Each structure stands twice: as structure tokens, then as C-alpha cells.
Amino acid sequence: GDSVTQMEGPVTLSEEAFLTINCTYTATGYPSLFWYVQYPGEGLQLLLKATKADDKGSNKGFEATYRKETTSFHLEKGSVQVSDSAVYFCALSEKGNKLVFGAGTILRVKS
Amino acid sequence: EAQVTQNPRYLITVTGKKLTVTCSQNMNHEYMSWYRQDPGLGLRQIYYSMNVEVTDKGDVPEGYKVSRKEKRNFPLILESPSPNQTSLYFCASSFGGTNTYNEQFFGPGTRLTVL
């Protein structure tokens, strides 16, 4: 079945550092790929998405590129802020609206 | 404001005492879903509904029931809760259809503890 694997955390960075959170997936077809973010005490919210190979999703300085050849969708940001501290979930959708999530990566940014 | 609401936000109960967690959305979404979040496992789908009176099992449906009598509401029912159902629960909604790229909107979560 479909699955998503993302790097374990927590990831701890200093403010203005470069961020990469790795995500790889397994799917039988051509899924849409998502990054969701969960701030402390809140529900998940969509950060960015990509629907086909080589698409780049971007939002709030975060980027991720749909790489079909490596089945990856790594999240990057050039300069993190304390306010980026949250849990980040990589997810895919191959059948209608059902989302399959990775385990989540905790990001902590220190000032 | 477009939103998904859940109640209660926190609940501590005892084994076997029936409970219902309510979920409501005001975006006229066809699709609604329940997930549970557990450490190291991410979110797993419990049940989903494609529209009114249409529900189906997700990946971890055992011990749960749902109903969809109105488009806006999708309650989650635990008829006889057990400690292994202690978790953080999220309701989500989105537009329907066969698209795989619809954004899902999540409620704030319900933290359930079963003693």
C-alpha cells in the first residue's frame, strides 16, 4: 500500500539556518504530494502541495519539488525563524481525498 | 470565518463509557474524515464520508462508528472506549470528487484519554 517516510526529529536549528526535511514515498500510481504544518495546540494546515512530477510547491519561504525519479518531496527553507517551530507532516493522496501521512518531524528553532 | 470545529477539545473518560466527539464544518464540503494522531505514527484515517449518508472505513476503524445525516456534521462515536483509543483526534473536510489535490481543512483536535 501507499506509504510516506520522513526524517525523524526533532530537528533543532538556530534562527536563519537552512532547513531540509526529507520525505520519500511509495505509491502505485501518480499521487499528489503535500506538506502540512501543525503549530502547537492547533490542527494541521496546508503548507504547500504539488500534483505532478517536477512541480514545485512553495509558500511562506518553504519549497518542495516533486521528484518522481527518486520518489521524494523534500521540504526546504533558506532561513528559518523561531515562528517556524512546529511539526511538519509529509503526505500523499492517490485515491480521491484520502491522505496518507508520514510520522511527522518536530522542528525547533532557537533564537 | 471558514472553519472546522470539534467538541470537546479535551476529554477524560473511563473504559466502556460511550462518548461522542462532534465535528462541524461551514464550508459546504462534501468530504469529511476522522484521523487519529499517535506519536511516531503520524495521522491515520479512521472513517470518511463522501457525502450525506455515505460513509466508509479508513485504515483503523475498529472500535469507532460514524454517521453523516447532515452535510455539515460528522460525529465520531466510541460505543465502548478502551485505553488503546487514548489519542489525539482530528476531523477534516474538503470538497469532494475524485481529485487527489483538494486541500483538507482540519479542526483543532480533541485530546481523548481513556482510563
Side-chain angles (χ1 to χ4, degrees):
Chain A
D2 295 350
S3 67
V4 175
T5 303
Q6 58 183 107
M7 62 189 289
E8 292 187 25
V11 173
T12 302
L13 297 172
S14 297
E15 214 166 16
E16 300 184 2
F18 185 85
L19 168 71
T20 299
I21 300 178
N22 291 335
C23 171
T24 58
Y25 68 89
T26 301
T28 53
Y30 302 97
S32 294
L33 301 175
F34 305 83
W35 277 100
Y36 278 83
V37 59
Q38 183 181 30
Y39 297 105
E42 298 183 11
L44 281 72
Q45 53 187 273
L46 180 66
L47 180 59
L48 53 84
K49 68 181 181 183
T51 59
K52 61 183 188 297
D54 299 325
D55 264 3
K56 178 185 282 188
S58 61
N59 186 24
K60 300 181 181 179
F62 291 90
E63 293 183 340
T65 301
Y66 191 143
R67 300 287 187 201
K68 186 169 177 292
E69 64 276 13
T70 54
T71 62
S72 65
F73 193 54
H74 305 321
L75 182 69
E76 297 181 336
K77 186 175 185 183
S79 176
V80 294
Q81 305 300 312
V82 172
S83 57
D84 294 326
S85 298
V87 183
Y88 292 82
F89 291 94
C90 185
L92 68 81
S93 177
E94 189 171 23
K95 297 172 185 170
N97 289 282
K98 179 182 177 179
L99 286 169
V100 175
F101 286 91
T105 302
I106 298 172
L107 171 64
R108 298 185 180 131
V109 181
K110 303 181 299 183
S111 59
Chain B
E1 179 190 356
Q3 60 182 345
V4 178
T5 57
Q6 294 178 228
N7 283 292
R9 293 290 310 278
Y10 303 91
L11 179 59
I12 301 174
T13 189
V14 295
T15 299
K17 186 176 180 182
K18 181 179 179 179
L19 66 92
T20 299
V21 183
T22 65
C23 172
S24 183
Q25 51 91 7
N26 62 2
M27 295 169 278
N28 202 35
H29 286 160
E30 293 85 10
Y31 184 91
M32 297 186 74
S33 180
W34 277 102
Y35 295 87
R36 59 178 289 173
Q37 181 182 3
D38 300 292
L41 297 176
L43 280 78
R44 294 175 292 167
Q45 190 181 57
I46 303 170
Y47 267 95
Y48 66 95
S49 171
M50 301 290 285
N51 214 323
V52 176
E53 302 291 1
V54 181
T55 63
D56 207 348
K57 298 177 181 178
D59 297 319
V60 288
E62 293 76 20
Y64 304 95
K65 284 177 57 176
V66 293
S67 68
R68 187 92 181 271
K69 293 184 169 54
E70 304 166 283
K71 196 173 187 179
R72 64 184 294 126
N73 297 324
F74 190 47
L76 179 69
I77 303 157
L78 285 72
E79 298 229 326
S80 184
S82 62
N84 64 11
Q85 292 178 299
T86 292
S87 187
L88 180 57
Y89 291 86
F90 287 101
C91 181
S93 73
S94 68
F95 289 111
T98 57
N99 297 328
T100 62
Y101 49 79
N102 289 331
E103 176 181 357
Q104 291 202 27
F105 293 82
F106 285 79
T110 295
R111 185 165 292 282
L112 172 66
T113 301
V114 183
L115 302 175

